[in-house]
Amino acid sequence: MPKPFPSLSGYGLGWSTRRRITVLATGLAVLLALAVVVALLTGRTTAGDSQAAAPSSGPSSSTSASAGPRASAGAGSVAKPPQLADPVAFAKAAAATLWSYDTRITSRDQQLAGMRAWLTAETKYDDWSSIAAQVPDPVLWSRMADHDQYATATVTEAHYPSAFKQALADDPSAITEAYIYAVTVTGKQQIAWKKGGAGAEDRSITLAVQCRPNANCSLVSIAPRVVP
């Protein structure tokens, strides 16, 4: 029986230092002002720009932060981003998409192209590498396809992390620079493959979501760890 690929989210724990968005890192819990949150959400570190951090587990993606399949590759089974202006609702939809895949009808390039459609168009803030890192390398994707592996997801809850809410309360106007929100989502992923193979696992993820006024939300980044 083939070993199932557990979750696309499991391959996104390493971030590119070139485009790191560290709002959701360890220091988030002690932030005292939303201005700091926004600065960390939108900041980049200059040290080590020439070297990307490797994922902490699983195979690394061969897609860089500046490259990716064109939209013409199609999205296969990947859902299109919804037209939502609410950060929590959008984050729930994004998490469900990140936890879902279908190698029976979707190529790796299609998976990447579909996920890229969720990314913010503001390159100053986007962290495509953290999203692309969710997709396994071509060899593993091919093995998954050989066994008709696919996954669906159910979202059970989403909320703003407590430190983010506190920072927002301390300085409500600071978010108007980038309108980037931190949202933590929980749910369950169901995995299946041919010959009756199946499994399920609880999932959690923290996302950075951009929702400017009078505009649809978009995905900015995936945190390296879940923030409560």
Side-chain angles (χ1 to χ4, degrees), residues 81-88 90 118 209-212 215-219:
Q83 296 182 347
L84 294 172
D86 176 53
V88 173
F90 183 85
W118 291 69
V209 173
Q210 185 177 47
C211 298
R212 289 195 179 277
N216 294 322
C217 296
S218 57
L219 186 59

Side-chain angles (χ1 to χ4, degrees), residues 121-188:
E122 298 185 38
T123 57
K124 178 181 179 180
Y125 303 122
D126 79 67
D127 183 25
W128 167 242
S129 62
S130 71
I131 300 168
Q134 307 304 298
V135 179
D137 63 44
V139 174
L140 181 53
W141 187 273
S142 178
R143 282 180 16 218
M144 292 161 58
D146 288 342
H147 298 294
D148 295 337
Q149 191 166 316
Y150 63 96
T152 57
T154 302
V155 171
T156 56
E157 190 272 340
H159 65 274
Y160 297 120
S162 57
F164 182 83
K165 290 192 294 183
Q166 182 59 55
L168 184 62
D170 290 343
D171 189 355
S173 65
I175 201 168
T176 58
E177 177 184 345
Y179 287 97
I180 295 175
Y181 302 80
V183 184
T184 294
V185 186
T186 58
K188 185 178 290 290

